[in-house]
Each structure stands twice: as C-alpha cells, then as structure tokens.
Amino acid sequence: MESVKRLEIVIESVYLRTIVAAMKDAGATGYTVMHDITGTGDRGERRGDGLTDLSRNVIIIAAVPHETADAVLDAVQTVMKDTGGICLVSDAQWLRH
Amino acid sequence: MESVKRLEIVIESVYLRTIVAAMKDAGATGYTVMHDITGTGDRGERRGDGLTDLSRNVIIIAAVPHETADAVLDAVQTVMKDTGGICLVSDAQWLRH
Amino acid sequence: MESVKRLEIVIESVYLRTIVAAMKDAGATGYTVMHDITGTGDRGERRGDGLTDLSRNVIIIAAVPHETADAVLDAVQTVMKDTGGICLVSDAQWLRH
Amino acid sequence: MDPSLILSNLLNAPVLFFALGAVAVWVRSDLDIPGPISKFLSLYLLFSIGYKGGVELGEGGITIAILTALSACVLMASLTPIWSFAIVRRWVSVPDAAAIAATYGSISAVTFITAVSFLTQRDLEYGGYMVAAMAIMESPAIVVGIILARIASRDAATGKKASIDWSKLLHEAFLNGAVLLLLGSLIIGSLTHEDAESLAPFVKQPFNGVLCLFLLDMGLIAARRLGDLRSAGWRLVIFAMLAAVAHAVIGIALARLIGLGRGDALLMAVLCGSASYIAVPAAMRLSLPKANPGLFVPMSLGITFPFNVIIGIPVYMMIIDAWWT
Amino acid sequence: MDPSLILSNLLNAPVLFFALGAVAVWVRSDLDIPGPISKFLSLYLLFSIGYKGGVELGEGGITIAILTALSACVLMASLTPIWSFAIVRRWVSVPDAAAIAATYGSISAVTFITAVSFLTQRDLEYGGYMVAAMAIMESPAIVVGIILARIASRDAATGKKASIDWSKLLHEAFLNGAVLLLLGSLIIGSLTHEDAESLAPFVKQPFNGVLCLFLLDMGLIAARRLGDLRSAGWRLVIFAMLAAVAHAVIGIALARLIGLGRGDALLMAVLCGSASYIAVPAAMRLSLPKANPGLFVPMSLGITFPFNVIIGIPVYMMIIDAWWT
Amino acid sequence: MDPSLILSNLLNAPVLFFALGAVAVWVRSDLDIPGPISKFLSLYLLFSIGYKGGVELGEGGITIAILTALSACVLMASLTPIWSFAIVRRWVSVPDAAAIAATYGSISAVTFITAVSFLTQRDLEYGGYMVAAMAIMESPAIVVGIILARIASRDAATGKKASIDWSKLLHEAFLNGAVLLLLGSLIIGSLTHEDAESLAPFVKQPFNGVLCLFLLDMGLIAARRLGDLRSAGWRLVIFAMLAAVAHAVIGIALARLIGLGRGDALLMAVLCGSASYIAVPAAMRLSLPKANPGLFVPMSLGITFPFNVIIGIPVYMMIIDAWWT
Ligand SMILES: Nc1ncnc2c1ncn2[C@@H]1O[C@H](COP(=O)(O)O)[C@@H](O)[C@H]1O
Ligand SMILES: Nc1ncnc2c1ncn2[C@@H]1O[C@H](COP(=O)(O)O)[C@@H](O)[C@H]1O
Ligand SMILES: Nc1ncnc2c1ncn2[C@@H]1O[C@H](COP(=O)(O)O)[C@@H](O)[C@H]1O
Ligand code: NA
Ligand code: NA
Ligand code: NA
C-alpha cells in the first residue's frame, strides 16, 4: 500500500469540467465523481432542481501522491476562489490492484 | 488549511431532516448529502424501491471545527439511538476557498 | 467510539456483487454503496451510459474492525486483480448507535 | 357465484405483469425499473385518475348521496385501525400494532386503480367521487394509529407519555405528495371539466399500459419484500389476508346500505380492504420509529396487495353481483 | 378589452397545475418530480414543438416574410440586453447587470409552449417558423451580455480587462442541449414532413398532458426559488414584471409592423417578454462566476415566468385583439 | 436494385434522430438523456414489441413453419460465434476473440425494432413469432462464446483450465432483464390477445416517437464509444461491417430456404447481422473479465449498429426484393 493524500472536493456541478482540468494540469492522474449531491454551506442550501443543473453539487475524490499533492491543492484553491466550494484533505493508504 | 473533524453519517433517508436539524442546533454550519445510497448492516439490506423512500439510505458529510465536534457528535448519537445508522469520524484538513 | 479501518473502494458496477461477496466471506459485516459514479483512472474515463451498466463505477464504503481488516483487504485485492479499481484505506472512529 | 371470474381475472394483462415482476425476483433476474420511473408512473396514475374523477364530479356536481358515501368512507378509515389494533396487539408490541392498524385503515391507490381498470373492462360505471373518497381515506388512519399508540403506551406502568409532534404528524398525514397530487388533480379536473378533451388522450389512452408497467414494478417490489415476512410470523400473514376480506365485506355492506351502484360498491370494497404502503409507512417511520417496518410493509405490500389484485377484486365483484340482484 | 380572458386563463389546466406546484411548496408538502423526469418532460416538449414546427415549415417552405420575422426576432434578442443592462446597472454590480441583461434578452421555451397551447385552445393559427424564431433567440443575448460585462469592466479605473474564453462561450451559447434538440427536431420535421403521420400521435396527443405535468414541476421549482428573492430587492422584482410587459409590447408592435397574424404576434410577444432560466444561467455561471445566481435565476423563474403564464399571455392576447381589428 | 431506398431510409425520422445524437457528441454539446429515461424508453420498446408479437402469436397459434423458423434462428445464433471466433482470433487474444464472437452471435433489439418500423412504414407484414426469435437468439451466443474461450485456453501450453461458474453464466445468459421482459410480454400478449384493444393505444401510438427518442440516445452513446475504437485497429472495424453484411445475407438465404415472407426475411437478416451491446457485454464482463470492453463494445455499438440502421436495413431489403421476385 502506498501513502497518499485523499482530496474530497464539493463544488457546484457546472464547474466540474473546470476543476478537473485544473487538477489534471497540476498532475492528478485519477479522480472519482459523485453526482446529484445536495448541501448547505456559507452560501445557503443547494438542492438543484433537475431542470437546470444550477445549484447542484458534485463531490470529487482524488488520491494524490505526496509529491504532487501541493500542486494539485494549489490548483484546487485557485479555481475555488472564483467558484466557492470546499476541499477536505486527509491521509490514506492506496491499495493498488 | 484548518484542522477539522470529518463526520460521515449513514442513515435512513426519512430521517435526513431530523438529523440535519439536530446537527445544526448543535452548531454544525455546513453539510453535504449524497442520495440513493444502499447498504447492509445489523438490520439487513437496505436497497429502497424507488416507490417509497423507505429503506433507502443517505450519507451526510460534515466538516466540523474541533470546538463544536463533541456537541455535534452528541446530537448525532441521540438521533441515531432511535433511528439506527452509523457515524464514522476522522481527522481532515479543510482548504477554504 | 471504536477505532476502525475505513475502506473506500471504487470498482466497475458489474463487479459489485462479486466484491461484496468476497468481503463478506472475509468477515466484513456491513457496507454502504453509492451508485452512478463516474471517474477517470489508468484505464480511461468511465462515464457509463444509462443503457448498459457497463463502464460505470460504484463506491463501496466499509468500516472494518482492526482484527478483520487484513483479511478483508486481501479479499479486495484478490478481486481487484481481475477487475481493476482502487481501494483507499484510512483510520476512523466509529460512533455506534 | 361464477369462479370463472377469478380465472379470467388471472388472465388479465395487469395481473399477469404483476406476476412477471414476482417471477423476475424469484429467478433472481436483474430486471429492474429505475426509481425515478416508478415515481413517474405513479405520478401519472394519480394525475390521471384524479383528473378523470374531477371532470366527472364537475359535470355531476356534489349531491347528498355523494356526501353520504364520502362520510361512510371516512368513518371506515377511522374505525378500521381501532379493531385492527385490538387484534394484532396480542401478538406484537404497541408501536408495531399501531403501525399495522394505521396501515390497514388507509388505502392502496394501485389496488383502487386496478379495480377501476377491472370495471372499465366490464363496462361497469363508477362515480368520480369515489376518487375523492380514496383521497380522503389516506390520512385519517395515520392520526388514529398514532393516538392509539399514545393511549396504549400511557396505559403502561411506567407512566411516561410518548410525546407526539402533532403538527409534523398532521402535516405528514394530510399533505404528503400523493394525497396532494390526487386532490389537486381532482379539483383541477372539476374546475376545467368543460374543456377536458384537450387532456383526454393523455389521461385515458396510455392508462392501461402504464398500469401494466407499474404493476410489473409492484411485482418486483412486493416479491422482494416478501422475504422480510419471515420475521412476521404466520398470525400476521393470516391477518393480512383475512383483514382484506373482512374489511372489504364491511365496505360492501355499507355500500349496499347507502344505496351505491355495483361499480361504486367494488371501489368501496377495495378501499376498505386494501392497506397502505406509501403514505402510512413513511409517516410511521417518522412518528413511531420503534415500529418495525419489517412487519407492516411486507404485510401490506407482500400479502394484502397481491391478494386483493389477484383474488380479492373478482371475489368482491362476485359477492356484489350476488347481493345486488 | 375583455377581462374574462384573464379569468378564463386562470381556469386553464396548465396554469392550475402550475399553481398546484406552488401550493405544494407553500404547505411544505413532499410532492416532488424526480430530476430525470423533469428532463424527460422537457425533452419531450422540445422534441414535439420542434418536430411539429418543422413539419409545417417543410410544407410551407421558407419565404421572405419568414426571413423578415426571424430577423426581427434576432434583432430584439440582441437589443434587449443593452437597455436592460443600462437600467439594472444602477442597482447592481457589472456582472450581475450583465447576467440579468442576458437573461431578459433570451427566451423561455415553456412560456412559448404554454402560449402555443393557449392558441390551440382558441383555434388560432401560428406559423411553424416561430419555433425557429424561438431556437435562434436563445443564444444571441448570451454573447451580448458577456460583451457588455467586458466593456463595462474595461471602463473601470483598474484597467484590467476581464478575459473571456470566446470559444467556450459561443459553444455554450449556440450548442447547448436544448437549442440543439429544438433545431434538430425542427430540421428533421421539415425533412420528413411527408410522412409526419407516423409521429403524429406521439407529438400531438400527450402534448397538453405533459405540459400540465411540466408546469406542476415548474410551480414547485419557481416557488422554491422565490425565497431567494429576499436578496434581490424590490427594484429588481418590479423590473422583472415591467420588463416582461414592455418587451412583449415592443414585440407586438414589431409583429404589427412586419404584418404577422394574431397567433404569431402572441408568440413574438412571449418570446420578447420572457426570460431564460436554463441556457442563460448555465452560461453565466461559467463565464461570469461573480454574477450572483440568487438574483437572475429567481427574477426569471420566480417572477417573470409565472407573470407571463398567468397574466401576461391573456393580456398580450387582448392587446393584439384590440390592435389587429 | 433501387438505390433510392437507401436515400429514402436516410431521410427517415428515426435514422435522422440517430444522426442528431451523433452530431451532438461531435460538436461537444451537452445534450443528454438521463440514464433512467434511457432505461424507460428501452423497457417501453421491449414491452411494446413483445406484447404486439404475443398478440399475433396468440391469434395465429404455433405452427410447424414457425418452429422451423425459430430453430433456424437458434442455429444461426449458435454457429455465428464459432466462425467469428476463428476469424478474429488471428488478431486478438482468446478472451477478446470469445467476447467478440459472443457479441456477433447475439442480436440487437433496437436494430430489430428499427427494422419493424421500416416494415410498417412500407406496409410489409411480419410474423409475431419473429419477436420470439429475437428473444431466443439473445442468449445462446453467450454460452457458445464462453465455451470457445474455455476450449481455446485449455489448448494453450500452460494446461491451466479457466474455471467457469456455469450457473452464474446460464443465469446471466437466459434470465437477464431484457430477455425476461421480452419473453414475459410475449407470453402475456399471447394469453390476453382477446382483449388486446385495451393496451393497443399504449403499445402502438407512441411507438415510433419513442423509437426516435431512443435512437437519439443511441446516437449519443454510439458516437461517444466511437472514440474507443482507436485501440481496436482497422481489421476489427472492417470485421464489424463485413460481419453484419455476411451474417445478414446468410440469414436471408436461410429465410428463403425455409420459405419465409419478405418482412420476416428482413427481420431474420437484421437478427443475424446485428450484434449485442447490452446482454452480451454485461455477461462477458462477469465471465471473461480479461476481455477488453474497449474492443467489443465500440465494434458493436459504434460500427455495426449504425451500419445496420443506416445502410444495412435498406440494402437487405433490396436484396430480398430482388431475390423474392
Ligand atoms: N462544513 C461543511 N461540511 C460539509 N460540507 C460543506 C460544509 N460547508 C459547505 N459544504 C458543502 O460545500 C458546498 C458549498 O459551500 P459554500 O460555498 O460554503 O456554500 C455546500 O453546498 C455544501 O455541500
Ligand atoms: N460496517 C459498516 N461499514 C459501512 N457501512 C455500514 C456498516 N454497517 C452499517 N453500515 C451502513 O449503515 C446502514 C444502517 O446500518 P444498521 O443500522 O446497522 O443496519 C446500513 O444500511 C449500511 O448502509
Ligand atoms: N487517483 C485516483 N483518485 C480517485 N479515484 C481514482 C483514482 N484512480 C482511479 N480512480 C477511480 O477508479 C476507477 C478505476 O480506475 P482504473 O482501474 O485505474 O481505471 C476510475 O474510473 C476512477 O473512478
Ligand atoms: Na383499508
Ligand atoms: Na426575452
Ligand atoms: Na447476430
């Protein structure tokens, strides 16, 4: 098992492509996305409405090796400055297939 | 980055409003919800059926500062005594936008 | 609260039954499943298509006591050798209801 | 009585699709109807039955006879939980008994709709107000069930009263989505009955087909729930069938008493004889979390529902045919 | 003018279902239409209106009169954002003003479809090319809105130009799913108009019923968004209504000028008077992330949309009736 | 032969909607049909084609001619994988070859349904039993494909036998949801054919429209998969087209041999010439996880399917027309 940083990002779904592109540029090679996520934060409730994709969140999970973690986190923070959202970082062990 | 407790709660979806209200009362300011979750635990399989919302889980994720963590955990435990469900707690760093 | 290992597995949805069966055999007593997960990894993008369930991921979360953790991880790795996917392992506290 | 009516009901497309769903579960096929589609089919059926009933109500107006029928229905919905509670309380805990009582006092919209399709096939008429009856029978049993739970737990030695959040409960009982859509469509139908043609192809033509797909889904759901019955015990299984018949027969007697026609009598029978599996279980989970959903849900969904759809409806019809002539 | 037209519009099934949705939110019912079903209903409506319009276009062919009408529509869609920006800029920031401007320059497909259903009920004809007009009016306002934001922020003292990703923006504006499906169905309808019968039952019969269900959903969505209006302030709320009327009246005048019939004039009125809540907000979130969606979305969805559907359509019709005779 | 048939097929609404879906992907539009809606449309098509076929079977009864045709179909479904395996084995690994073999032995329900719509438009009749043929052709190829994989890997030097979970495999092959729904609807249709009218508006009227929406979705899916073809190489791309034509022509010859009519011959051609992209890929993922889904899925979905729908169907029809006269 390899020690990695686990990033968990909650962001409005319209920005999914933007943030994923930024993370890839910064060196992230893989990520997993959960859709149709609702939530409440500083800027009120986000429950979406099925019609527009506005105001609906996604969660992105990325396991990043320690050496690229800082670059990826910087990229995430730059995007989130414009778009809002949260990013939780924790330590994990990656069991490779 | 700020050090926080990451709570991850799996509970039957009918109780979503109840537990979120209790967590807010105890000082949680934000949370994220994943819907249409299935699972198996002490009380058998829960796969829901699309028709009723019965027997379908949600996952609630909340990043809570250390000072309010205990109060929120107490609130969660009180609700879960009636409703069942699980709560996993871990340490995380919160990257603010 | 009890200290446990938190396993987070991303795998193609057709293998859900297979891996859950293997984990149960190895001693896991509970798990939670998120559906309709997309992602990108070594083997390209997986976004599914709604028609076939092919090429769509699930996430499985399992809290496992330390004593059974190794057996469960072995089982997961054995399945993933054939099927691909990732497994992140971290420490967590389990708040029982 | 003519047993061929049961046989011919068995060879009815909706009933056969219900059976197909059950078979799919038994052979462990992966046949599945996505959750949002289940909800859509049920929204359509409620919309459609509500609108059609409303148009008819709007054309005929509200009469004393209709008010009598509606009152009889509310009465049944309020009394049924009381005796049901008294019976099942012998075998299960207070919250379980209260939840079962509420379940059997309330109604199953799909059973009603299947009966409507049964009547249509036989060219028997029914009044649009029976749809109103269905709408107002959903909720009272919830309230009665909770009151029963409260009284019974007050009787207990501890003296601790179970506290009830009444506003939440009444809200859940009277404003749940299904009831609101049904009542709303009914009212809209009665207000716009003059140009009902523009909606007619939508509410009428696909009705039977959607019912078949929906019953396929119900077959899948009911068969999956059946497994939970192991924990229920044979007494509750028998209750689930006898209650259907007993309540339906009381409903038929009442219908005869107040002079309803044969079609309306059948609908009254299935309203009384059916049990809820949407509104009531959701309300019970919230108000009586100690009540085990592994009992009242499979009883209603796994036993009473199929019983009524497959055997009940034709049998009730035979009873009515015998009585009314 | 005949006020009974407003009243009779209020007693219209689609409008009443919209109201039912709003009521469901106000009484905090759990009535809900699953997201995939919302999308399906809207796909159906776009498919159906596009195909029907295309068949008609295919039969009639493209004439100078049609090209004139289309040009007038594009002109309106490009100019409306400019004055809208100038007005709301007094009260809100540059990005907010630009987003509102784009919103009001674009159109609402459901308002258009409700107007079509209103015309059909009154046996008034309209040209299939008005569907084409709708399709080409969705996008220009997005581009104009972004240009306005850019010019205005260039004026500011800092001198820093806001950089715009034009290819992304034009892509978002002209190739979003709704526009593509509408245009695609239109073209396919005009190419296959000779055997349009095989699709006729699908595109025509359920149309009104689907519209009712969809408006029920819109009622739920609009009422939920209404709460966000607190942050908007009364000036924007009034703008949201006056803009609808003013733009619709300009649209009617233009229709008169270029000699359209009454049906087409009504559609022109609702195209000019309606505001976008799908294509534009999505494009604005991407191109102007600083624009607050708590302003332009509830203005469009919570005020302008219900205003047009409930009051606007019959009032515009009355104006047209008075003017055209 | 009349090339205008190909052109006129290109100007067919279902084919054009398929093209629209592909275009949407190529211009990177966000047009999308939600997953549950895809499943619903396909459930509807299977339900509808199954029920209609069943009603016809019920009316006509089962004859020797029908049994002959069904046997011919099963034979083809079992033999096709064998030669397909022998051919593609030269270029790809054993599991990949076996998966491709199974894919081409099985059938594509949407191709069949598109052919049915093609026949209906030309007022050509077909037998309800061809739906039964489709249902029983889905599964045999899966079993044959797995056996081929087993034999071939046993031949290899290592001597290690690949172990197969037969019960799981047969289950997957014969009881997958699509096969079950199709067979179930077929049986129910034949049992209830006497009052088939009550379902007629549901199974018939929206059929073509739903097919258009579904093909729009297939266009989106197929075009997305096309990108995966880079890994397949030109040999497999050519195989995907030649196999369609070759198998279809064999099917036509067989149809001629056993004396089928022109409509049935076309359906036989598309059953033989089409390849699976639902049942087989799912079974292969489970039973042959080493087979690369980046090969057999895009071959079937990205090449063979569009080829048949756009060019194949009219070409096969021309061949049949030439041969049968
Ligand atoms: N403390 C928190 N814990 C978990 N999720 C949060 C928290 N705060 C915000 N979120 C999520 O992040 C989204 C954006 O947050 P915000 O930008 O603060 O409104 C919210 O809609 C929530 O889904
Ligand atoms: N060990 C576990 N790991 C992950 N999820 C669990 C575990 N145990 C229970 N769960 C989840 O919690 C829900 C309720 O658990 P229970 O109340 O034990 O039936 C289950 O349906 C699962 O989704
Ligand atoms: N570094 C990563 N972080 C998060 N998820 C990943 C990562 N790598 C792969 N995945 C997920 O695991 C799935 C299978 O990965 P792979 O087998 O590498 O293609 C992908 O579709 C992603 O959902
Ligand atoms: Na009852
Ligand atoms: Na406008
Ligand atoms: Na084939």
Side-chain angles (χ1 to χ4, degrees):
Chain A
M1 291 205 288
E2 178 194 340
S3 176
V4 292
K5 285 285 173 196
R6 175 183 184 276
L7 275 57
E8 179 172 50
I9 297 159
V10 184
I11 198 169
E12 210 169 327
S13 55
V14 282
Y15 300 120
L16 175 59
R17 284 193 201 185
T18 314
I19 202 163
V20 159
M23 288 165 67
K24 276 188 178 163
D25 284 349
T29 57
Y31 59 89
T32 297
V33 185
M34 303 170 216
H35 303 265
D36 287 331
I37 303 298
T38 61
T40 296
D42 299 346
R43 282 170 304 175
E45 197 182 344
R46 292 216 194 124
R47 58 170 296 181
D49 56 36
L51 188 62
T52 69
D53 270 331
L54 274 184
S55 178
R56 185 173 289 232
N57 291 329
V58 289
I59 298 180
I60 304 158
I61 292 183
V64 189
H66 287 284
E67 51 273 23
T68 40
D70 283 342
V72 174
L73 280 172
D74 274 352
V76 167
Q77 194 159 29
T78 307
V79 172
M80 289 203 331
K81 212 163 275 168
D82 274 350
T83 63
I86 75 165
C87 173
L88 297 181
V89 186
S90 58
D91 290 314
Q93 300 297 111
W94 183 345
L95 184 77
R96 296 226 175 241
H97 56 251
Chain B
M1 291 206 287
E2 178 195 340
S3 176
V4 293
K5 285 283 173 197
R6 175 183 183 277
L7 275 57
E8 179 172 49
I9 298 159
V10 184
I11 198 169
E12 210 170 328
S13 55
V14 281
Y15 300 120
L16 175 58
R17 283 193 203 185
T18 314
I19 201 164
V20 159
M23 288 166 67
K24 275 189 179 164
D25 284 350
T29 56
Y31 58 90
T32 297
V33 185
M34 300 170 218
H35 303 264
D36 288 330
I37 302 299
T38 61
T40 296
D42 299 345
R43 282 170 304 177
E45 196 183 344
R46 292 215 195 126
R47 58 170 297 181
D49 56 35
L51 188 62
T52 69
D53 270 331
L54 275 184
S55 179
R56 185 172 289 232
N57 291 330
V58 290
I59 298 180
I60 304 159
I61 292 183
V64 189
H66 287 285
E67 51 273 21
T68 41
D70 283 342
V72 174
L73 280 171
D74 274 352
V76 167
Q77 194 159 28
T78 308
V79 172
M80 288 201 333
K81 212 162 275 167
D82 275 351
T83 63
I86 76 164
C87 173
L88 297 181
V89 186
S90 58
D91 289 315
Q93 299 297 112
W94 183 344
L95 183 77
R96 296 227 174 241
H97 55 252
Chain C
M1 292 206 287
E2 179 193 340
S3 176
V4 293
K5 284 284 173 199
R6 174 182 184 278
L7 275 57
E8 179 171 51
I9 298 158
V10 184
I11 198 169
E12 211 170 327
S13 55
V14 282
Y15 300 120
L16 175 59
R17 284 194 202 185
T18 314
I19 201 164
V20 159
M23 288 166 67
K24 276 189 179 163
D25 284 350
T29 57
Y31 59 89
T32 298
V33 186
M34 301 171 218
H35 304 265
D36 287 330
I37 303 299
T38 61
T40 296
D42 299 346
R43 283 170 304 177
E45 197 183 344
R46 292 216 195 124
R47 58 170 297 181
D49 56 35
L51 189 61
T52 69
D53 269 331
L54 274 185
S55 177
R56 186 173 289 232
N57 291 330
V58 289
I59 298 180
I60 304 159
I61 292 184
V64 189
H66 287 285
E67 51 272 23
T68 41
D70 282 342
V72 174
L73 280 172
D74 273 353
V76 167
Q77 195 159 29
T78 307
V79 172
M80 288 201 332
K81 212 164 276 168
D82 274 351
T83 64
I86 75 165
C87 173
L88 297 181
V89 187
S90 58
D91 289 314
Q93 299 297 111
W94 184 344
L95 182 78
R96 296 224 174 243
H97 55 252
Chain D
M1 287 214 255
D2 177 9
S4 77
L5 200 55
I6 301 183
L7 272 176
S8 93
N9 188 52
L10 286 181
L11 286 179
N12 209 355
V15 173
L16 288 169
F17 275 102
F18 180 80
L20 178 59
V23 167
V25 172
W26 291 326
V27 300
R28 282 175 303 117
S29 167
D30 64 352
L31 182 58
D32 192 29
I33 299 200
I37 302 306
S38 295
K39 280 240 171 92
F40 180 46
L41 299 177
S42 100
L43 286 174
Y44 169 82
L45 291 173
L46 293 172
F47 174 98
S48 177
I49 195 93
Y51 190 82
K52 281 186 288 188
V55 168
E56 235 182 89
L57 259 188
E59 280 163 357
I62 294 176
T63 62
I64 297 287
I66 288 180
L67 291 178
T68 312
L70 294 184
S71 309
C73 286
V74 173
L75 192 77
M76 272 301 287
S78 313
L79 296 181
T80 307
I82 297 179
W83 63 69
S84 299
F85 181 85
I87 296 170
V88 295
R89 178 67 189 88
R90 304 154 183 245
W91 313 313
V92 298
S93 71
V94 166
D96 282 342
I100 295 173
T103 303
Y104 281 85
S106 183
I107 56 92
S108 148
V110 193
T111 312
F112 181 88
I113 290 170
T114 311
V116 163
S117 148
F118 179 93
L119 290 174
T120 312
Q121 224 177 331
R122 274 153 195 78
D123 283 324
L124 277 171
E125 295 200 344
Y126 69 96
Y129 63 90
M130 288 309 291
V131 179
M134 165 164 70
I136 61 178
M137 279 181 82
E138 284 236 45
S139 318
I142 296 176
V143 178
V144 176
I146 301 294
I147 293 176
L148 287 169
R150 198 182 194 180
I151 294 174
S153 61
R154 196 186 279 169
D155 283 351
T158 61
K160 254 208 319 186
K161 282 187 221 174
S163 83
I164 297 175
D165 184 340
W166 280 104
S167 86
K168 208 163 142 189
L169 172 65
L170 292 174
H171 192 266
E172 190 70 23
F174 289 99
L175 294 173
N176 85 69
V179 173
L180 201 71
L181 178 57
L182 196 58
L183 277 180
S185 305
L186 194 84
I187 293 171
I188 293 174
S190 72
L191 289 175
T192 64
H193 66 92
E194 273 165 24
D195 44 41
E197 266 105 89
S198 77
L199 283 182
F202 180 71
V203 298
K204 285 188 185 154
Q205 294 185 357
F207 193 76
N208 256 305
V210 173
L211 180 60
C212 286
L213 275 184
F214 193 67
L215 281 174
L216 172 66
D217 194 22
M218 292 294 296
L220 293 166
I221 294 172
R224 279 181 207 139
R225 292 287 178 174
L226 214 55
D228 297 345
L229 268 182
R230 263 162 288 153
S231 55
W234 59 271
R235 286 200 203 82
L236 292 181
V237 170
I238 290 177
F239 175 85
M241 275 184 281
L242 287 192
V245 178
H247 298 164
V249 169
I250 300 178
I252 293 173
L254 226 74
R256 182 80 200 162
L257 200 74
I258 61 178
L260 296 185
R262 282 160 64 211
D264 293 339
L266 181 71
L267 295 182
M268 182 107 179
V270 297
L271 286 179
C272 296
S274 67
S276 171
Y277 42 81
I278 301 187
V280 175
M284 293 300 120
R285 285 308 276 154
L286 276 178
S287 305
L288 295 178
K290 296 271 176 238
N292 178 4
L295 294 181
F296 57 93
V297 175
M299 282 172 70
S300 154
L301 208 51
I303 305 282
T304 308
F305 176 74
F307 177 84
N308 276 324
V309 164
I310 299 173
I311 305 173
I313 292 177
V315 166
Y316 307 153
M317 194 73 243
M318 291 191 306
I319 297 176
I320 292 166
D321 283 345
W323 206 335
W324 259 243
T325 44
Chain E
M1 288 213 255
D2 178 9
S4 77
L5 199 57
I6 301 183
L7 272 175
S8 92
N9 187 52
L10 287 181
L11 287 179
N12 211 355
V15 173
L16 288 169
F17 275 103
F18 180 79
L20 178 60
V23 166
V25 172
W26 290 327
V27 302
R28 283 174 302 118
S29 167
D30 63 354
L31 181 59
D32 194 31
I33 298 199
I37 301 305
S38 296
K39 280 238 171 93
F40 180 45
L41 299 177
S42 99
L43 286 175
Y44 169 81
L45 291 173
L46 293 172
F47 174 98
S48 177
I49 195 94
Y51 190 81
K52 282 186 289 187
V55 167
E56 235 181 273
L57 260 187
E59 281 163 355
I62 293 177
T63 62
I64 297 287
I66 288 180
L67 291 178
T68 313
L70 295 183
S71 310
C73 287
V74 173
L75 192 78
M76 271 301 287
S78 314
L79 295 181
T80 307
I82 298 179
W83 62 69
S84 299
F85 181 84
I87 295 170
V88 296
R89 178 66 189 88
R90 303 154 183 245
W91 313 313
V92 298
S93 70
V94 166
D96 283 341
I100 294 173
T103 303
Y104 281 84
S106 184
I107 57 92
S108 148
V110 193
T111 311
F112 181 89
I113 289 169
T114 311
V116 163
S117 150
F118 180 94
L119 291 175
T120 312
Q121 223 178 333
R122 273 154 196 79
D123 283 322
L124 278 171
E125 295 199 345
Y126 70 96
Y129 62 89
M130 288 309 291
V131 179
M134 166 164 70
I136 60 178
M137 279 180 84
E138 284 235 48
S139 318
I142 296 176
V143 178
V144 176
I146 302 293
I147 294 177
L148 286 170
R150 199 183 194 180
I151 293 176
S153 61
R154 196 186 280 170
D155 283 352
T158 61
K160 254 207 320 185
K161 281 187 223 175
S163 81
I164 298 175
D165 184 340
W166 280 104
S167 86
K168 207 164 146 189
L169 173 64
L170 291 175
H171 192 266
E172 189 71 22
F174 290 98
L175 294 173
N176 85 70
V179 173
L180 201 71
L181 178 56
L182 196 57
L183 278 180
S185 305
L186 195 83
I187 293 169
I188 294 173
S190 72
L191 289 175
T192 64
H193 66 92
E194 271 165 26
D195 44 39
E197 265 106 87
S198 77
L199 283 182
F202 180 72
V203 298
K204 286 189 185 155
Q205 292 183 359
F207 193 76
N208 256 304
V210 173
L211 180 60
C212 286
L213 275 183
F214 192 67
L215 281 173
L216 173 66
D217 195 21
M218 291 295 296
L220 294 165
I221 294 172
R224 278 180 207 140
R225 293 286 179 175
L226 214 54
D228 297 346
L229 267 182
R230 260 163 291 151
S231 55
W234 60 271
R235 285 200 203 82
L236 293 181
V237 170
I238 289 177
F239 176 85
M241 277 185 279
L242 287 191
V245 178
H247 298 163
V249 169
I250 300 177
I252 294 173
L254 226 75
R256 183 78 201 165
L257 200 74
I258 61 180
L260 297 186
R262 282 160 64 210
D264 292 339
L266 181 71
L267 295 183
M268 182 106 179
V270 298
L271 286 179
C272 296
S274 67
S276 172
Y277 41 80
I278 300 187
V280 176
M284 293 301 120
R285 285 309 274 155
L286 275 178
S287 304
L288 295 177
K290 295 274 176 235
N292 177 5
L295 295 182
F296 57 94
V297 175
M299 280 172 70
S300 155
L301 207 52
I303 306 281
T304 308
F305 176 73
F307 176 84
N308 276 323
V309 165
I310 299 173
I311 305 173
I313 292 176
V315 166
Y316 307 153
M317 195 73 243
M318 291 191 307
I319 296 176
I320 292 165
D321 284 345
W323 206 334
W324 260 242
T325 46
Chain F
M1 287 213 255
D2 178 10
S4 78
L5 200 56
I6 300 182
L7 273 175
S8 93
N9 188 51
L10 287 180
L11 287 179
N12 210 355
V15 173
L16 288 170
F17 276 102
F18 180 79
L20 179 59
V23 167
V25 172
W26 290 326
V27 302
R28 282 174 304 118
S29 167
D30 63 353
L31 182 59
D32 192 31
I33 299 199
I37 301 305
S38 296
K39 280 238 171 93
F40 179 47
L41 299 176
S42 100
L43 286 174
Y44 169 82
L45 292 172
L46 294 171
F47 174 98
S48 177
I49 196 93
Y51 189 81
K52 281 185 290 187
V55 168
E56 236 181 90
L57 260 188
E59 281 162 356
I62 294 176
T63 62
I64 297 286
I66 288 180
L67 291 178
T68 313
L70 294 184
S71 311
C73 287
V74 173
L75 192 77
M76 271 300 288
S78 314
L79 295 181
T80 306
I82 298 179
W83 63 69
S84 299
F85 181 84
I87 295 170
V88 297
R89 178 66 189 89
R90 304 153 183 245
W91 313 313
V92 298
S93 70
V94 166
D96 283 340
I100 294 173
T103 302
Y104 281 84
S106 183
I107 57 93
S108 148
V110 193
T111 311
F112 181 88
I113 289 170
T114 310
V116 164
S117 149
F118 180 94
L119 290 175
T120 312
Q121 224 178 331
R122 274 154 195 76
D123 284 323
L124 278 171
E125 295 200 345
Y126 70 96
Y129 63 89
M130 288 308 292
V131 179
M134 165 163 69
I136 60 177
M137 280 181 82
E138 284 235 45
S139 318
I142 296 176
V143 179
V144 175
I146 301 293
I147 293 176
L148 286 169
R150 199 181 193 180
I151 294 173
S153 61
R154 196 187 280 169
D155 283 351
T158 61
K160 253 208 321 184
K161 280 189 221 173
S163 83
I164 298 176
D165 184 340
W166 280 104
S167 87
K168 208 163 141 189
L169 174 64
L170 292 174
H171 192 266
E172 190 72 22
F174 289 98
L175 293 174
N176 85 69
V179 173
L180 201 71
L181 178 57
L182 197 57
L183 278 180
S185 305
L186 195 83
I187 293 171
I188 294 174
S190 72
L191 289 175
T192 65
H193 66 92
E194 271 164 26
D195 44 40
E197 265 106 88
S198 76
L199 282 182
F202 181 70
V203 299
K204 284 188 185 154
Q205 294 185 357
F207 193 76
N208 255 305
V210 174
L211 179 60
C212 286
L213 276 183
F214 193 67
L215 281 174
L216 173 65
D217 195 22
M218 291 294 296
L220 294 166
I221 295 172
R224 280 181 205 136
R225 294 285 179 177
L226 213 55
D228 297 346
L229 268 182
R230 262 161 290 153
S231 54
W234 60 271
R235 287 201 203 79
L236 292 181
V237 170
I238 290 176
F239 176 84
M241 276 185 279
L242 287 191
V245 178
H247 298 163
V249 169
I250 300 177
I252 294 173
L254 227 75
R256 183 79 201 165
L257 200 74
I258 61 178
L260 296 186
R262 284 161 63 212
D264 293 339
L266 182 71
L267 296 183
M268 182 106 178
V270 298
L271 286 179
C272 296
S274 67
S276 171
Y277 40 80
I278 300 188
V280 175
M284 292 302 120
R285 285 309 274 156
L286 276 177
S287 304
L288 295 177
K290 297 271 177 236
N292 177 5
L295 294 182
F296 56 95
V297 175
M299 281 172 70
S300 154
L301 207 52
I303 305 281
T304 309
F305 176 73
F307 177 84
N308 276 324
V309 164
I310 299 173
I311 304 172
I313 293 177
V315 167
Y316 308 153
M317 194 72 245
M318 291 191 307
I319 298 176
I320 292 165
D321 283 345
W323 206 334
W324 261 242
T325 45

